Amino acid sequence: MAEKSVKVGIIGFGTVGAGAAKILIEDAQQITAKTNLDIELVKVVDIDTKSPRPVKLADGMLTDDLDSLLNDNSIDIAVELIGGTTIAKDVVLKCLAAGKDVVTANKALLAEHGCELYKVAHENNRCIAFEASCAGGIPIVSALRTGLAANQVDAMYGILNGTCNYILTNMIAKGEEFEVALKDAQNKGFAEADPTLDINGGDSAHKLAILGSIAFGCEISLDDVHVEGIEGISKDDLRFGSEMGYTLKLLAIGKREDDGKISLRVHPSFIAKDSPLASVSGSFNAVCVQGSAVGQVMFYGRGAGMMPTASAVVADIIEVALGNSGRTFQALTMKGHDQAQAMFEKIDNLVSRFYISIMCKDQPGVIAQWSKVLANHEISISGALQHEGRGPDNSVPVVIATHPTVEKNVAAALIDLAALDTTSGKPVSIRIVDIPEDTD
Amino acid sequence: MAEKSVKVGIIGFGTVGAGAAKILIEDAQQITAKTNLDIELVKVVDIDTKSPRPVKLADGMLTDDLDSLLNDNSIDIAVELIGGTTIAKDVVLKCLAAGKDVVTANKALLAEHGCELYKVAHENNRCIAFEASCAGGIPIVSALRTGLAANQVDAMYGILNGTCNYILTNMIAKGEEFEVALKDAQNKGFAEADPTLDINGGDSAHKLAILGSIAFGCEISLDDVHVEGIEGISKDDLRFGSEMGYTLKLLAIGKREDDGKISLRVHPSFIAKDSPLASVSGSFNAVCVQGSAVGQVMFYGRGAGMMPTASAVVADIIEVALGNSGRTFQALTMKGHDQAQAMFEKIDNLVSRFYISIMCKDQPGVIAQWSKVLANHEISISGALQHEGRGPDNSVPVVIATHPTVEKNVAAALIDLAALDTTSGKPVSIRIVDIPEDTD
């Protein structure tokens, strides 16, 4: 069978760009042998054409001239690996207008501007492929869109940020405070110098918006996602949660709630220690999907890094080259955002279980006071633990696990708990997520 | 966008056929809304048109007349869900000749006759899609073929038979002998009345042949797969293995060995208790893939059952309807069997670690004897344990874990160990599989 020739240009010669180039150049023969496609990297665009990179390009391939890629009609696929939401957006729009299909790893771009970009792609009869934007090398986008296409997704729980999972794993394993664990992660290359977007949950929210749009078949904007990060997590809360049988993860959750609405949220979540997601350690990612036909399916692997992400980029290049991504992209429809918005749960109405910890003065009447506050707000207590032994200000920690309760009740209760004269400092609440067990 | 109309006929109205029909009928609107395809089930063929089924078909849809499906040119996709390798093979050949794409869940058929059927499909410019043939609803075929396409697969470890995993889980949890656990599995519907193909490893071998052909890009026949089942596993060996830190799974393994050859095998395997696959319990399946770029990726979920398997069947119907399966099927090439065969490791040359257990008479000189046998066969001992306390014939159990050693040496050593006058009964060997850890 004659090999179909497909030419590729990469824009952005950073870590992932180098990884993708490496695979395309070094594994060209294997890819051709496997797919009958002659996929040729012909151009790499970057403002920096001087610094050494981990892969050697043929002379003349690297340029700072984007137009030389845009105007080259032989280039079928443009791979956007710059990152960010301004220049990258402009680049993607130009590539689509120039008649090129786009492969990208850019979660922030798609989360913020995906709807607009997909529309432009449709208008230009082109496609945007983005497996690499979520969970690195784990083929979760294609699983949701293709392998699980016959299912209604009832819930999706994701550990989608390796930086946060690495930090939390170490906080738990070593009993470290957050700042210490963050510094350690930065020193070892698992957190950026500016880690804000990771530790505040924003990166996970980007990925949830993308995966959720496929899972629930509707446009999701970042405003639809409730986001909390891990900056406020203390080693004490981790220890108390552990005593109650929980471990902490930053989960990205999309779930059809009992009232029929879809909750979209990223927040620290206590999960049972024997839950499958509990064993996901370090910088690894995992996604647990509950589908109407398939039941529970889980995907696990490296969510970031040069080669895992490049694996997803090149998989997309192959699928675009085969024509499959284009067909899927053109065919798959999602509910527009205006229509979809009514489907999303407001965080105030979320029903969840909660871990609440209060530092209480060690004196008579304390339990009576905080228990009355919870009762006033119709919060039923599943378990409670008051440790003997003193914290600062002669205070003792009280930790409570609630039954399912409405979010706004907990928010109001926390205000009243803080106002008690028996409370020291600020009470903490962390949602407990009971991932349903799928067993024989 | 005008909906593309695609008509489907199912052949075989058993459990999975009913599940697929259920999704196609009950979820028709959601599928159309999601895919812009009007996928219509128009015919179901089965020799039994009388027995009640869990889903109600429109009048006239159910027939025992296969020709009415074959001759209906409006039917684009034929779904073979009969099972078995004789009538099903004939049906698939007829469907392809009649110009229909084929979706199947039939692992035995593809394992035994896949190469021939794929050739006929190619000749007729049609495709065969088979996600449902391996690991039920877990989209592992599409992951290997598409999501991980940019990788060379270095190894694949699969728990692919839910019956065996259910039995082993219970043998370990309850300390039961194999026959008791099998009977319990049959009573609860997790094992067939005739469980042979499951418990002898044959079913896992079928699936390994299919997944391996995609993973390693070459035609694999069942003769290339070394197969051992779980019938000979005793609760004592499970207990001793557990004491040494191992749990037992029936693993289907495809691996590039150190000598460059690919080993293909199904056999009981001791794996470390903290290995990710160790926690896969009951009838669930899982596949752990090691890819050259992505590192370790794991997939977990329900490997069988009406709705999980139907989920995979309908996912394939959608992909065939979109034209993607056809494109992939036509493009993807694999090394022919004659060429590939030289790549496969012969089991005698496999290097592995082994668990060996010997019932030894409790008298002086025993350790000296068995240790000399192992030394004679160049088998180095990693760990050894002799329990105090007597088995039958006043014998004591000795269990040994070896360092990596050549299979044929162990086979020869077992003969010599059995021949020792200090040995009672027949020594047992079980391979220890050290799945490489992928960590930060």
Side-chain angles (χ1 to χ4, degrees), chain A residues 33-36 146 149 151 282-284 293 297-298 300 302 307-308 311 319 322 324 327-328 331-333 438-440, chain B residues 33-36 146 149 151 282-284 293 297-298 300 302 308 311 319 322 324 327-328 331-333 438-440:
Chain A
K34 202 192 287 198
T35 65
N36 260 311
T146 301
N151 290 264
S283 71
F284 280 77
V297 192
M298 221 177 89
Y300 162 95
R302 289 194 170 281
M307 295 313 295
S311 162
E319 277 295 281
L322 282 172
N324 294 344
R327 257 186 300 273
T328 300
L332 256 54
T333 46
D438 191 9
T439 55
D440 291 318
Chain B
K34 203 192 288 198
T35 64
N36 258 312
T146 301
N151 289 264
S283 71
F284 279 76
V297 194
M298 221 177 88
Y300 163 96
R302 290 194 167 282
S311 163
E319 277 295 281
L322 282 172
N324 293 344
R327 190 63 72 94
T328 299
L332 254 57
T333 45
D438 193 11
T439 56
D440 291 318

Side-chain angles (χ1 to χ4, degrees), chain B residues 1 41 46 54 64 68 91 106 150 154 184-185 193 200 206 208 210 220 225 250 276-277 336 366 421 424 440:
Chain B
M1 184 185 193
L41 178 63
D46 196 288
D64 58 5
S68 69
V91 163
N106 196 332
D154 294 325
D184 169 62
N200 73 3
H206 290 156
L208 180 61
I210 296 168
I220 294 172
V225 182
L250 182 74
L277 286 180
V366 167
D421 55 7
S424 302
D440 291 318

Side-chain angles (χ1 to χ4, degrees), chain B residues 167-194:
Chain B
I167 290 170
L168 290 172
T169 302
N170 275 346
M171 286 180 72
I172 292 166
K174 301 179 187 176
E176 289 174 346
E177 282 294 4
F178 171 77
E179 291 76 15
V180 173
L182 170 59
K183 199 98 197 91
D184 169 62
Q186 287 170 316
N187 290 340
K188 298 211 169 83
F190 290 102
E192 308 273 355
D194 178 3

Side-chain angles (χ1 to χ4, degrees), chain A residues 15 30 37 52 54 103 106 132 147 188 209 258 283 286 290-291 409-410:
Chain A
T15 307
Q30 291 92 303
L37 297 167
V103 171
N106 196 329
K188 299 213 170 84
D258 290 342
S283 71
Q290 265 148 214
N409 291 10
V410 173

Side-chain angles (χ1 to χ4, degrees), chain B residues 187-249:
Chain B
N187 290 340
K188 298 211 169 83
F190 290 102
E192 308 273 355
D194 178 3
T196 312
L197 194 62
D198 292 313
I199 62 176
N200 73 3
D203 175 75
S204 297
H206 290 156
K207 293 160 181 171
L208 180 61
I210 296 168
L211 294 179
S213 67
I214 304 169
F216 302 109
C218 58
E219 291 174 357
I220 294 172
S221 90
L222 284 173
D223 295 332
D224 302 319
V225 182
H226 174 81
V227 189
E228 294 168 33
I230 63 167
E231 313 97 307
I233 299 297
S234 77
K235 71 175 195 229
D236 284 338
D237 286 318
L238 293 177
R239 180 163 57 88
F240 299 146
S242 175
E243 286 168 6
M244 292 182 118
Y246 300 113
T247 188
L248 193 80
K249 298 293 181 193

